[in-house]
Structures are given as C-alpha cells and as structure tokens.
Amino acid sequence: LAKTTQPISMDSYEGQEVNITCSHNNIATNDYITWYQQFPSQGPRFIIQGYKTKVTNEVASLFIPADRKSSTLSLPRVSLSDTAVYYCLVGGGTGTASKLTFGTGTRLQVTL
Amino acid sequence: NAGVMQNPRHLVRRRGQEARLRCSPMKGHSHVYWYRQLPEEGLKFMVYLQKENIIDESGMPKERFSAEFPKEGPSILRIQQVVRGDSAAYFCASSPRLGQGVYEQFFGPGTRLTVL
C-alpha cells in the first residue's frame, strides 16, 4: 500500500478555509484517495474520496493533480467543531475490500 | 439505521485475564475489520473477516489474539492472557459488498481496553 505523508498539525481560526495536503508518491494506478476525520474517543468518519481531478461534497473538496502524487483536502469556513485529526489514505483499487493503512494524520486545531 | 455497534465501550481487565470485544456491523454489511489505536497514533489494521472466513490476518499478533465472524451474531475479537501493552482503543469497521474499485469503511465507536 502506498505510504502517505501529511503535516503533523495545523492551526486555523474559525471561518477560514483550511487546506491539508497529503503526499503519496507511490500511489498505484488503480488506487483511490480517501480522507477520514477522527474526533477524540470516536472512530474515524469518512469525509471524501476521489480518483482524479476534483471531488466536492457537502463538507469538503478534494483536489488531485494529474500526476496523482499528492492530494489536498479543503475544508471551507471551518468551525470549532472541525477540530479533529484528519487522515489521508490511498488504496482500495482492487475491487475488493482491503485493509486501510492510517498514518499519524494531521491534527487540526480551530480557535476563535 | 443503526451504525456499527461495539460493546463494551470500556473494558478493564487484570493481567492474565481474557478480553472479549464484540462488533455488530451495519445492516447489510458482510465485511468486518478490526483496528487497534494506541494514544497519539493512527489506527493499525489487525484483521479482515467475512462471514465465517478470515480473509486477512496479517496485522494480528501471532499469539493470544484471535477473531471470528460467525454466520449468526457479532464479530468477536478475543485477547487471551492480556498484558499491559494490550491497553488501547480497538475499533471495528464494516463495509458492504463492493463494486469495482471503490470502498468505504464505517467505523464503530471503539472499545477502550485498560489492562491493570
């Protein structure tokens, strides 16, 4: 499974846009990019998933350049409740369920 | 529309005892995964099961740990003769039967195991 690299932590003020970039230089042709969010004492929660270009849903956008060696999770107008750890994962392209490989994630702290 | 359920949420055991963690996947999901998370670390894969089958146990310690997902009932992660190093949060996730190339795992709230 491709290894991912993310910043250990980020700080933001409420109302700002936050962009978290993940590097995955060894991503395979059929791998997808998935982001999870984890609050303290809870299980990870799926945020968004993409293969290439841009994906947008009600909570976030995911930007993936043409070479797919990196991706950027964009959270518009964050609030205090977005304080959490965000994990970038790659894999799952084989058509069958497979284990997720979590790195240490990015700890986002949102303040007033 | 219940999500993934895990019980107990908190479990305290003394060294040498057995810990039994239960996971009920989302309705209609036939794939179950177990992960372990130590404080300040990401989740580490342990085992992947389908009904009555262990598909991938590459993350399971060779001794004392076992998992099952019977035809009826929840998936169970069993830890025999627990040691202090087993103290961690154990998360279960489930996913539905998959189409080509896309997967998403739904996580339960976890069981926090404390070994005294």
Side-chain angles (χ1 to χ4, degrees), chain B residues 5 15 17 27 35 42 50 58 72 74 81-82 91 96 100 103 112-113:
Chain B
M5 301 180 71
R15 282 180 296 170
Q17 291 184 318
K27 186 176 181 180
Y35 295 83
Q50 294 181 23
S58 58
E72 300 292 336
Q81 300 175 327
V82 295
F91 291 97
Q100 177 65 32
Y103 69 97
R112 274 146 192 84
L113 172 66

mmCIF file of all heavy atoms in Angstrom, chain B residues 5 15 17 27 35 42 50 58 72 74 81-82 91 96 100 103 112-113:
data_model
loop_
_atom_site.group_PDB
_atom_site.id
_atom_site.type_symbol
_atom_site.label_atom_id
_atom_site.label_comp_id
_atom_site.label_asym_id
_atom_site.label_seq_id
_atom_site.Cartn_x
_atom_site.Cartn_y
_atom_site.Cartn_z
ATOM 1 N N MET B 5 -21.923 -1.129 15.714
ATOM 2 C CA MET B 5 -22.033 -1.123 17.169
ATOM 3 C C MET B 5 -20.924 -1.958 17.792
ATOM 4 O O MET B 5 -20.625 -3.062 17.311
ATOM 5 C CB MET B 5 -23.406 -1.651 17.576
ATOM 6 C CG MET B 5 -24.558 -0.825 17.000
ATOM 7 S SD MET B 5 -26.159 -1.434 17.469
ATOM 8 C CE MET B 5 -26.164 -0.993 19.201
ATOM 9 N N ARG B 15 -4.083 -8.251 34.352
ATOM 10 C CA ARG B 15 -3.133 -9.054 33.588
ATOM 11 C C ARG B 15 -3.447 -10.543 33.714
ATOM 12 O O ARG B 15 -3.724 -11.028 34.807
ATOM 13 C CB ARG B 15 -1.707 -8.789 34.071
ATOM 14 C CG ARG B 15 -1.106 -7.503 33.551
ATOM 15 C CD ARG B 15 0.308 -7.308 34.086
ATOM 16 N NE ARG B 15 0.312 -7.163 35.541
ATOM 17 C CZ ARG B 15 1.397 -7.180 36.290
ATOM 18 N NH1 ARG B 15 2.587 -7.349 35.723
ATOM 19 N NH2 ARG B 15 1.314 -7.033 37.585
ATOM 20 N N GLN B 17 -6.034 -12.083 32.379
ATOM 21 C CA GLN B 17 -7.438 -12.371 32.088
ATOM 22 C C GLN B 17 -7.681 -12.339 30.579
ATOM 23 O O GLN B 17 -6.819 -11.969 29.797
ATOM 24 C CB GLN B 17 -8.347 -11.355 32.792
ATOM 25 C CG GLN B 17 -8.364 -11.483 34.293
ATOM 26 C CD GLN B 17 -9.363 -10.527 34.937
ATOM 27 O OE1 GLN B 17 -9.487 -9.367 34.549
ATOM 28 N NE2 GLN B 17 -10.075 -11.024 35.943
ATOM 29 N N LYS B 27 -26.212 -2.982 9.026
ATOM 30 C CA LYS B 27 -27.113 -3.904 8.357
ATOM 31 C C LYS B 27 -26.732 -4.005 6.888
ATOM 32 O O LYS B 27 -26.522 -2.994 6.207
ATOM 33 C CB LYS B 27 -28.555 -3.404 8.488
ATOM 34 C CG LYS B 27 -29.584 -4.366 7.959
ATOM 35 C CD LYS B 27 -30.983 -3.848 8.209
ATOM 36 C CE LYS B 27 -32.039 -4.823 7.712
ATOM 37 N NZ LYS B 27 -33.413 -4.330 7.939
ATOM 38 N N TYR B 35 -9.224 -2.808 14.013
ATOM 39 C CA TYR B 35 -8.041 -1.957 14.079
ATOM 40 C C TYR B 35 -7.723 -1.676 15.545
ATOM 41 O O TYR B 35 -8.617 -1.650 16.394
ATOM 42 C CB TYR B 35 -8.288 -0.616 13.375
ATOM 43 C CG TYR B 35 -8.521 -0.704 11.894
ATOM 44 C CD1 TYR B 35 -9.774 -1.003 11.382
ATOM 45 C CD2 TYR B 35 -7.481 -0.470 10.993
ATOM 46 C CE1 TYR B 35 -10.000 -1.084 10.024
ATOM 47 C CE2 TYR B 35 -7.693 -0.544 9.618
ATOM 48 C CZ TYR B 35 -8.955 -0.845 9.149
ATOM 49 O OH TYR B 35 -9.165 -0.918 7.795
ATOM 50 N N GLY B 42 -1.985 6.635 14.747
ATOM 51 C CA GLY B 42 -3.045 6.252 13.825
ATOM 52 C C GLY B 42 -3.496 4.826 14.080
ATOM 53 O O GLY B 42 -2.889 4.083 14.839
ATOM 54 N N GLN B 50 -14.872 -11.911 6.614
ATOM 55 C CA GLN B 50 -16.221 -12.021 6.095
ATOM 56 C C GLN B 50 -16.901 -13.125 6.895
ATOM 57 O O GLN B 50 -16.266 -13.828 7.670
ATOM 58 C CB GLN B 50 -16.212 -12.331 4.601
ATOM 59 C CG GLN B 50 -15.630 -11.196 3.769
ATOM 60 C CD GLN B 50 -15.642 -11.495 2.282
ATOM 61 O OE1 GLN B 50 -16.414 -12.306 1.799
ATOM 62 N NE2 GLN B 50 -14.761 -10.823 1.554
ATOM 63 N N SER B 58 -3.038 -10.398 8.619
ATOM 64 C CA SER B 58 -1.628 -10.031 8.609
ATOM 65 C C SER B 58 -1.248 -9.064 9.725
ATOM 66 O O SER B 58 -0.082 -8.947 10.070
ATOM 67 C CB SER B 58 -1.242 -9.429 7.257
ATOM 68 O OG SER B 58 -2.036 -8.288 6.978
ATOM 69 N N GLU B 72 -24.036 -16.346 12.424
ATOM 70 C CA GLU B 72 -25.016 -15.581 13.179
ATOM 71 C C GLU B 72 -24.306 -14.874 14.329
ATOM 72 O O GLU B 72 -23.444 -15.450 14.978
ATOM 73 C CB GLU B 72 -26.093 -16.515 13.754
ATOM 74 C CG GLU B 72 -26.873 -17.295 12.697
ATOM 75 C CD GLU B 72 -27.753 -16.410 11.839
ATOM 76 O OE1 GLU B 72 -28.118 -15.310 12.309
ATOM 77 O OE2 GLU B 72 -28.090 -16.823 10.708
ATOM 78 N N PRO B 74 -22.449 -11.306 16.344
ATOM 79 C CA PRO B 74 -21.430 -10.302 16.073
ATOM 80 C C PRO B 74 -20.056 -10.903 15.803
ATOM 81 O O PRO B 74 -19.818 -12.093 16.072
ATOM 82 C CB PRO B 74 -21.400 -9.502 17.388
ATOM 83 C CG PRO B 74 -21.760 -10.512 18.425
ATOM 84 C CD PRO B 74 -22.791 -11.405 17.763
ATOM 85 N N GLN B 81 -5.030 -13.892 28.020
ATOM 86 C CA GLN B 81 -3.905 -13.575 28.901
ATOM 87 C C GLN B 81 -3.382 -12.165 28.637
ATOM 88 O O GLN B 81 -2.222 -11.966 28.282
ATOM 89 C CB GLN B 81 -2.795 -14.611 28.718
ATOM 90 C CG GLN B 81 -3.251 -16.023 29.052
ATOM 91 C CD GLN B 81 -2.170 -17.060 28.754
ATOM 92 O OE1 GLN B 81 -1.401 -16.910 27.823
ATOM 93 N NE2 GLN B 81 -2.136 -18.097 29.570
ATOM 94 N N VAL B 82 -4.243 -11.191 28.802
ATOM 95 C CA VAL B 82 -3.899 -9.814 28.456
ATOM 96 C C VAL B 82 -2.690 -9.322 29.262
ATOM 97 O O VAL B 82 -2.466 -9.727 30.402
ATOM 98 C CB VAL B 82 -5.087 -8.859 28.662
ATOM 99 C CG1 VAL B 82 -6.221 -9.209 27.712
ATOM 100 C CG2 VAL B 82 -5.557 -8.838 30.113
ATOM 101 N N PHE B 91 -11.009 -0.588 17.363
ATOM 102 C CA PHE B 91 -12.110 -0.156 16.513
ATOM 103 C C PHE B 91 -12.484 -1.248 15.529
ATOM 104 O O PHE B 91 -11.627 -1.928 14.960
ATOM 105 C CB PHE B 91 -11.723 1.109 15.734
ATOM 106 C CG PHE B 91 -11.582 2.330 16.589
ATOM 107 C CD1 PHE B 91 -10.339 2.738 17.037
ATOM 108 C CD2 PHE B 91 -12.703 3.072 16.947
ATOM 109 C CE1 PHE B 91 -10.200 3.859 17.833
ATOM 110 C CE2 PHE B 91 -12.576 4.202 17.741
ATOM 111 C CZ PHE B 91 -11.325 4.594 18.189
ATOM 112 N N PRO B 96 -19.880 -2.699 2.873
ATOM 113 C CA PRO B 96 -20.814 -3.541 2.144
ATOM 114 C C PRO B 96 -20.109 -4.358 1.064
ATOM 115 O O PRO B 96 -18.929 -4.204 0.833
ATOM 116 C CB PRO B 96 -21.759 -2.532 1.504
ATOM 117 C CG PRO B 96 -20.896 -1.324 1.298
ATOM 118 C CD PRO B 96 -19.930 -1.305 2.454
ATOM 119 N N GLN B 100 -16.532 -2.403 -8.251
ATOM 120 C CA GLN B 100 -15.143 -2.307 -8.692
ATOM 121 C C GLN B 100 -14.496 -1.024 -8.182
ATOM 122 O O GLN B 100 -14.956 0.065 -8.442
ATOM 123 C CB GLN B 100 -15.085 -2.347 -10.221
ATOM 124 C CG GLN B 100 -13.696 -2.184 -10.798
ATOM 125 C CD GLN B 100 -12.769 -3.349 -10.434
ATOM 126 O OE1 GLN B 100 -13.204 -4.481 -10.293
ATOM 127 N NE2 GLN B 100 -11.501 -3.061 -10.260
ATOM 128 N N TYR B 103 -14.204 1.779 -2.153
ATOM 129 C CA TYR B 103 -14.570 1.191 -0.878
ATOM 130 C C TYR B 103 -14.710 2.285 0.157
ATOM 131 O O TYR B 103 -14.143 3.348 0.029
ATOM 132 C CB TYR B 103 -13.535 0.173 -0.412
ATOM 133 C CG TYR B 103 -12.213 0.789 -0.020
ATOM 134 C CD1 TYR B 103 -11.918 1.070 1.306
ATOM 135 C CD2 TYR B 103 -11.266 1.098 -0.989
ATOM 136 C CE1 TYR B 103 -10.718 1.646 1.655
ATOM 137 C CE2 TYR B 103 -10.068 1.682 -0.641
ATOM 138 C CZ TYR B 103 -9.788 1.943 0.680
ATOM 139 O OH TYR B 103 -8.596 2.508 1.022
ATOM 140 N N ARG B 112 -12.465 0.709 24.524
ATOM 141 C CA ARG B 112 -11.221 1.088 25.184
ATOM 142 C C ARG B 112 -10.868 0.061 26.236
ATOM 143 O O ARG B 112 -11.567 -0.062 27.236
ATOM 144 C CB ARG B 112 -11.351 2.483 25.781
ATOM 145 C CG ARG B 112 -11.012 3.535 24.745
ATOM 146 C CD ARG B 112 -11.807 4.814 24.884
ATOM 147 N NE ARG B 112 -11.628 5.630 23.693
ATOM 148 C CZ ARG B 112 -12.328 5.486 22.576
ATOM 149 N NH1 ARG B 112 -13.304 4.596 22.514
ATOM 150 N NH2 ARG B 112 -12.077 6.238 21.524
ATOM 151 N N LEU B 113 -9.803 -0.647 25.978
ATOM 152 C CA LEU B 113 -9.344 -1.707 26.876
ATOM 153 C C LEU B 113 -8.239 -1.168 27.769
ATOM 154 O O LEU B 113 -7.258 -0.602 27.271
ATOM 155 C CB LEU B 113 -8.830 -2.902 26.076
ATOM 156 C CG LEU B 113 -8.144 -4.011 26.879
ATOM 157 C CD1 LEU B 113 -9.158 -4.685 27.810
ATOM 158 C CD2 LEU B 113 -7.500 -5.035 25.948
#
